[in-house]
Amino acid sequence: MVSNRGGRKHLGDRKREHAITLRFNRTELEKVKAILQSYNLDFRKRGTVGPFLRKLILNRETIKEKRVPDEISNLSYQLNKIGSNINQLVKVANYKSMRSPNASLEREMQKVSELMIELIETINNGN
């Protein structure tokens, strides 16, 4: 016969082994305290904040409609890369003290502009 000698219950498979640390600034912490107070929970009491935030996060349903489609996400990434390349070209031009861009750079910029217009039209027609 196993007797309960008191103390903490064994969690078994429910044991929480992974930790995520959250840091709040003063304003955010005050908001968390206000939320806890609205549920009649004491922020200073040990073991209150963690379980509350866990339930708040895990019991909330995710909204899949607001997720950005992978195609647009990839498109955004590619646009950022194009912007980085343009910035690098401008830095090189400024570094070499070029007052006016040469013909090949002008042609490349024109190609980039045409591709951007075509890309924007494709996006607008796709939606």
Side-chain angles (χ1 to χ4, degrees):
M1 181 172 154
V2 177
S3 64
N4 185 355
R5 297 168 65 196
R8 186 173 177 183
K9 295 178 183 177
H10 293 284
L11 292 174
D13 292 340
R14 298 181 306 144
K15 186 174 183 179
R16 294 184 178 96
E17 299 172 346
H18 306 282
I20 296 176
T21 303
L22 290 174
R23 294 185 185 271
F24 297 103
N25 62 27
R26 182 168 296 168
T27 307
E28 294 167 337
L29 185 62
E30 292 303 320
K31 287 181 182 178
V32 170
K33 287 180 180 180
I35 293 170
L36 285 167
Q37 190 175 21
S38 72
Y39 284 93
N40 294 325
L41 297 172
D42 186 9
F43 175 79
R44 294 168 293 181
K45 186 176 178 187
R46 186 171 187 230
T48 303
V49 179
F52 175 76
L53 292 177
R54 186 180 307 111
K55 285 182 182 178
L56 192 67
I57 293 168
L58 296 178
N59 291 341
R60 182 174 213 127
E61 290 188 27
T62 57
I63 302 171
K64 294 182 181 180
E65 294 89 33
K66 292 189 178 182
R67 185 170 172 245
V68 176
D70 291 337
E71 298 83 24
I72 293 177
S73 178
N74 187 30
L75 178 65
S76 174
Y77 172 76
Q78 294 299 331
L79 286 174
N80 284 335
K81 296 290 281 183
I82 291 170
S84 296
N85 291 340
I86 291 171
N87 285 339
Q88 289 173 358
L89 289 171
V90 170
K91 283 183 182 179
V92 168
N94 286 333
Y95 179 74
K96 292 184 176 182
S97 298
M98 296 178 157
R99 295 290 178 205
S100 62
N102 61 22
S104 65
L105 182 58
E106 230 173 78
R107 270 185 271 127
E108 291 300 319
M109 292 299 292
Q110 182 63 31
K111 285 181 188 177
V112 168
S113 295
E114 291 170 3
L115 286 172
M116 289 296 291
I117 291 170
E118 185 179 331
L119 189 62
I120 290 169
E121 289 174 355
T122 303
I123 291 171
N124 289 337
N125 292 336
N127 293 333

